[in-house]
């Protein structure tokens, strides 16, 4: 029997346990990953069914996606909303993280608890509250309203990611820049920002993904005109599931994989810089 | 030149002096967080406060029957009110009939006394033609207007704030004389829904812990390359859109889906099972979605436990199981708490997955909030259910902050 990371003095029983652990963990990892990719082959199925085996493959559902104005409009709405959300959330979140990283920040625990609470509060409550208040200001069924609501949900991700990067940042660098005559803004732009940039970009990618994937607030806050891609998918699945949804799911899966690879690459780079 | 240092005999004064000297810098740090705090105040805190307000807001009776509510102030509460009240009632209803607001009032009173909706609408329709004496005319039209309970209800509903939605969310109601009693059996559904929500969230939490703990342990034992492949398997689902993951489960659990294919192939059942729109499907999909949230905090705690601890236990004679359970496992408890609590909190608020994968008996409290807003148009009750959900969630968030801390939350 192989060593499986066990010390040489391990007994048979321990080896069996270790083997069971490896087998079990393999199954759980398969449970985690396999369901994600089930939609990929189905989106290339020429027949409008959602079951296996697949007889002929084609791109017809992707053609359908890209030629259907409703799906294209939803895609465009999602991208525009997510881009605006990312810009605002990254700016506000990075500023807050910079303040929180300073040793003299007052009531840090309470402020941090408040800043990350949008990740905790059930999304339906946020959606209903936003609908009530934004309706009062005439912001429901507008893209502005959706961007504002999404920014509140996305900002905590930026705060957390940038804070994690700042925890390894040496504040002496800023002080050195200041002592050499840099203004606070110049010290941030020329010294701090380049060092923490991977964290800021990772936070921005999180913010983009948060807005791009968000369904519930978008369901409450949008009419047909501002309908986003996830809302279009949600109503599609609920009413009459059709194969174009599989194509949309495959495209979203490709996008999230790309975002994930970006963040993984950034954090690997950040680790390299640190050591 | 050295600055004058305070002597050691004045520690309190020194403390104050240091704090005072630091105040501008402290204020500067805080000011960096102000834009985000203000933004969240407007787009997050105020909306939630307005939800709380909506749960006790009571505008219908006040706005439709202003004169009646004012006239009822003088009514002692026993017997039918006097002619002045009925005259005001006739005026209010006539205005309501022309402004088409009677239906809203009828709907509101119907929450308190079933059957009132049609009676209010009928009364409003005849309000233009009834002649004085109004009291006799209304009672002749419908004897219900002679019932003191109806007037006591209108008087109570005339107040600016009402506890009735919050009471309804706790399966309670207020009788005409103000006593709080259990709601009628056919309306006593909300504690059951809350219980179901807590049960599903708890079950998902336990399942993710049982499945996730060994994964986190294997992650800590694995050599670096294998560990990064495993990490990829954990993080990729986290990055995948929630809707894509739910779509995948809809496809998997169908009658013709892959899960049924596997069950047939393994001979576990001779026919295809109903898996979608069931509790099993909901819990399976939610467990899949929450698993990374549980694994990551446990793994990050395990990473900090030195391997030497287990070796030391073994060299001192502990059998492998005892070394694991008595030396290793207790040290992982903070991670288990963090992962379990975060999954429990997030599971409480599920909406999309039960809506698409669950059946009618698997809908959670969020789904009912949405139903009461979108189909029943009962904002008060929806908001009251929101308050219940929020209070439960914040209570557990408070526990999380206490035992784990807000700054321990990491993403991958």
């Amino acid at each position: 029997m192989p060593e499986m990371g066990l010390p040489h003095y391990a007994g048979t029983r321990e080896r069996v346990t270790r083997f069971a652990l490896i087998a079990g963990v393999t199954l759980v990892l398969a449970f985690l990953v396999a369901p994600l990719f089930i939609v990929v082959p189905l989106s290339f199925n020429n027949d409008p069914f959602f079951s296996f085996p697949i007889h002929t493959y084609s791109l017809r559902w992707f053609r359908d996606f890209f030629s259907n104005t409703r799906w294209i409009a939803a895609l465009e709405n999602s991208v525009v909303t997510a881009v605006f959300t990312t810009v605002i959330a990254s700016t506000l979140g990075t500023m807050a993280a910079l303040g929180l990283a300073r040793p003299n920040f007052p009531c840090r625990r309470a402020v941090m608890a408040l800043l990350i609470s949008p990740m905790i509060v059930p999304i339906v409550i946020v959606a209903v509250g936003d609908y009530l208040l934004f309706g009062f200001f005439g912001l429901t069924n507008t893209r502005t309203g959706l961007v504002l609501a999404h920014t509140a949900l996305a900002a905590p991700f930026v705060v957390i990611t940038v804070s994690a990067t700042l925890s390894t940042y040496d504040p002496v660098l800023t002080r050195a820049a200041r002592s050499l005559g840099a203004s606070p803004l110049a010290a941030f732009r020329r010294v701090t920002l380049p060092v923490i940039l991977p964290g800021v970009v990772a936070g921005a990618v999180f913010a983009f993904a948060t807005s791009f994937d968000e369904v519930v607030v978008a369901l409450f806050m949008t009419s047909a005109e501002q309908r986003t891609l996830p809302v279009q998918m949600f109503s599609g699945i609920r009413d009459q599931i059709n194969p174009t949804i599989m194509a949309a799911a495959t495209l979203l899966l490709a996008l999230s994989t790309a975002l994930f690879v970006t963040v993984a690459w950034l954090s690997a780079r950040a680790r390299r810089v640190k050591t | 030149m050295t600055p004058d240092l305070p002597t050691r005999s004045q520690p309190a004064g020194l403390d104050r002096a240091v704090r005072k000297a630091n105040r501008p810098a402290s204020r500067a740090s805080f000011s960096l967080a102000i834009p985000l705090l203000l933004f969240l105040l407007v787009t997050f805190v105020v909306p939630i406060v307005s939800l709380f307000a909506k749960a006790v807001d009571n505008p219908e009776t006040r706005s439709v029957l202003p004169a009646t509510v004012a006239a009822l102030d003088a009514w002692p509460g026993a017997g039918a009110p006097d002619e002045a009240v009925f005259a005001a009632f006739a005026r209010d209803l006539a205005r309501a009939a022309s402004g088409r607001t009677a239906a809203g009032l009828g709907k509101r009173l119907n929450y308190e006394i079933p059957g009132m909706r049609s009676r209010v609408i009928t009364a409003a329709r005849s309000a233009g033609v009834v002649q004085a004496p109004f009291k006799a005319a209304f009672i002749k039209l419908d004897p219900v207007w002679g019932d003191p309970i109806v007037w006591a209800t209108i008087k109570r509903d005339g107040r600016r704030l009402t506890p009735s939605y919050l009471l309804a969310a706790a399966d309670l109601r207020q009788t005409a004389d103000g006593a709080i009693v259990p709601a009628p059996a056919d309306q006593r559904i909300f504690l059951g829904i809350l219980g179901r929500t807590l049960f599903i969230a708890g079950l998902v939490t336990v399942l993710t812990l049982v499945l996730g703990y060994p994964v986190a342990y294997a992650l800590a034992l694995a050599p670096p390359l294998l560990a990064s492949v495993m990490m990829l398997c954990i993080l990729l689902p986290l990055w995948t859109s929630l809707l894509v993951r739910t779509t995948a489960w809809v496809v998997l659990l169908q009658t013709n889906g892959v899960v049924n294919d596997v069950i047939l192939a393994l001979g576990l059942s001779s026919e295809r099972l109903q898996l979608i729109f069931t509790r099993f499907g909901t819990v399976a999909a939610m467990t899949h979605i929450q698993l990374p949230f549980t694994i990551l905090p446990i793994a990050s705690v395990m990473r900090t436990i030195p391997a030497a601890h287990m070796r030391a236990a073994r060299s001192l004679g502990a059998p492998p199981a005892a070394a694991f359970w008595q030396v290793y496992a207790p040290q992982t408890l903070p991670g288990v708490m963090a992962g379990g609590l975060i999954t429990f909190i997030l599971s409480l608020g599920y909406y999309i997955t039960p809506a698409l994968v669950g059946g009618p008996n698997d809908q959670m409290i969020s789904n009912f909030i949405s139903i009461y807003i979108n189909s029943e148009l009962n904002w008060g009750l929806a908001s009251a259910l929101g308050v219940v959900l929020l209070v439960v969630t914040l209570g557990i968030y408070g526990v999380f902050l206490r035992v784990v801390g807000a700054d321990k939350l990491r993403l991958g």
Side-chain angles (χ1 to χ4, degrees), chain A:
Chain A
M1 215 176 243
E3 292 293 310
M4 297 180 295
L6 283 170
H8 58 85
Y9 51 78
T12 314
R13 210 168 136 191
E14 204 173 350
R15 278 164 208 277
V16 171
T17 316
R18 179 57 55 92
F19 184 75
L21 175 74
I22 292 171
V25 167
T26 311
L27 282 176
V28 175
L29 292 177
F31 169 70
L32 268 171
V33 177
L36 305 181
F37 293 99
I38 199 82
V39 296
V40 177
L42 291 174
S43 66
F44 292 102
N45 190 351
N46 190 37
D47 303 312
F49 305 129
F50 308 101
S51 52
F52 294 91
I54 293 168
H55 299 294
T56 47
Y57 289 88
S58 83
L59 289 171
R60 63 183 283 207
W61 308 118
F62 289 90
R63 270 198 298 275
D64 191 46
F65 180 94
F66 285 109
S67 59
N68 187 328
T69 48
R70 239 193 279 171
W71 282 103
I72 293 300
L75 178 65
E76 191 198 317
N77 277 328
S78 280
V79 171
V80 174
T81 305
V83 166
F84 278 106
T85 299
T86 305
V87 171
I88 306 173
S90 306
T91 312
L92 297 179
T94 304
M95 279 174 71
L98 284 167
L100 283 161
R102 295 196 187 169
N104 50 20
F105 193 90
C107 321
R108 186 199 320 267
R109 285 175 71 99
V111 172
M112 196 70 183
L114 177 71
L115 289 184
I116 65 168
S117 56
M119 294 169 70
I120 300 298
V121 171
I123 189 73
V124 165
I125 291 178
V126 181
V128 175
D130 281 344
Y131 186 83
L132 275 170
L133 188 79
F134 287 21
F136 185 75
F137 293 112
L139 284 170
T140 44
N141 300 338
T142 67
R143 194 178 272 159
T144 313
L146 190 60
V147 167
L148 293 178
H150 277 183
T151 303
L153 299 175
F157 291 92
V158 180
V159 173
I160 291 176
T161 319
V162 177
S163 293
T165 312
L166 280 169
S167 67
T168 61
Y169 173 77
D170 188 351
V172 170
L173 292 176
T174 313
R175 252 184 288 156
R178 296 276 285 125
S179 77
L180 291 168
S183 67
L185 197 65
F188 170 73
R189 211 165 49 82
R190 308 273 298 270
V191 178
T192 315
L193 187 60
V195 178
I196 63 165
L197 196 61
V200 175
V201 175
V205 174
F206 268 112
F208 184 90
T210 305
S211 166
F212 200 80
D213 289 344
E214 201 287 321
V215 201
V216 182
V217 172
L219 263 176
F220 276 83
M221 296 277 288
T222 59
S223 63
E225 225 167 291
Q226 304 86 30
R227 186 176 263 209
T228 61
L229 199 53
V231 174
Q232 175 75 19
M233 281 181 71
F234 177 80
S235 15
I237 300 170
R238 196 155 58 170
D239 303 338
Q240 176 67 55
I241 187 160
N242 68 62
T244 312
I245 292 173
M246 296 298 133
T250 301
L251 291 171
L252 281 181
L253 189 62
L255 177 76
S256 51
T257 310
L259 293 180
F260 170 58
V261 170
T262 311
V263 169
W265 178 72
L266 285 169
S267 67
R269 218 185 77 137
R271 262 198 298 278
R272 246 199 336 272
V273 168
K274 209 161 48 184
T275 45

Side-chain angles (χ1 to χ4, degrees), chain A residues 14 32 35 104 113 130-131 230, chain B residues 26 29 43 243 248 288 314 379 397:
Chain A
E14 204 173 350
L32 268 171
N104 50 20
D130 281 344
Y131 186 83
Chain B
S26 174
S29 308
T43 60
L243 211 56
H288 176 246
R314 295 297 303 279
W379 281 83
Y397 183 44

